[in-house]
Amino acid sequence: MSEKTLTRMDLSEAVFREVGLSRNESAQLVEAVLQHMSDALASGEQVKISSFGTFSVRDKSARVGRNPKTGDEVPISPRRVLTFRPSHLMRDRVAAGKKK
C-alpha cells in the first residue's frame, strides 16, 4: 500500500495541468472549492459529489464511556462529527485497487 498523501498542492497542480489555468489561479480555485465545502458542512448541510461520495455532519448525544485501563466510567459530551460515505463507484474502484 502506498504511503503517498494527496495534498492541496497536488490538487492545484492537477488543475494546472488538466485545465490550463495558471498555478496561482489553480491554487485559488482549489481553495475556493474546499472553503465552499467547509462552509456548507459547518452550517449543517450535506456535500454530495457524484461518483465520489457524501460528506455529512452528525450530532452525537452525550453518553457514558469507560476508561479501558482503569474501568472508570467517564462522561462523553455531545458533539458534532464529520462523516464520509463513499459512492458505490468509489467503493468498487478502491476495492479493485491499482492494477499493476
Side-chain angles (χ1 to χ4, degrees), residues 31-45 47 80:
E31 285 299 320
V33 168
L34 294 175
Q35 185 64 48
H36 194 65
M37 289 174 63
S38 297
D39 292 345
L41 289 166
S43 67
E45 296 177 51
V47 175
R80 295 174 77 194

Side-chain angles (χ1 to χ4, degrees), residues 72-83:
D72 293 341
E73 289 186 351
V74 180
I76 299 174
S77 58
R79 61 199 185 282
R80 295 174 77 194
V81 294
L82 178 64
T83 61

